[in-house]
Amino acid sequence: MTIKVVRGNPTPEELAAALAVVRARAAAAAAAPSGAETPRDAWSDPARIAGQRLPQPGQASWTRTYWPS
């Protein structure tokens, strides 16, 4: 792996910190299973609301509607 500084003049400590981050990310990517799915947030999961049944209109549903006078 080759890293090249294009701009600036980093100190050896800054360069070492940047290299440590790049190497840690590369090691994490290599250790992750290739076919694993990323976990989804609960709020974006459509199955969260699919289990709830929507109210259905009944015989006298017109009496429960609101009509402003």
Side-chain angles (χ1 to χ4, degrees), residues 45-61:
D45 188 10
R48 176 179 60 90
I49 58 171
Q52 300 172 356
R53 191 168 173 193
L54 297 175
Q56 298 295 318
Q59 292 177 347
S61 62

Side-chain angles (χ1 to χ4, degrees), residues 10-59:
T11 64
E13 292 83 14
E14 291 171 336
L15 212 54
L19 183 59
V21 170
V22 170
R23 293 186 83 189
R25 292 287 305 240
S34 61
E37 288 186 26
T38 57
R40 295 179 66 172
D41 291 332
W43 67 269
S44 65
D45 188 10
R48 176 179 60 90
I49 58 171
Q52 300 172 356
R53 191 168 173 193
L54 297 175
Q56 298 295 318
Q59 292 177 347

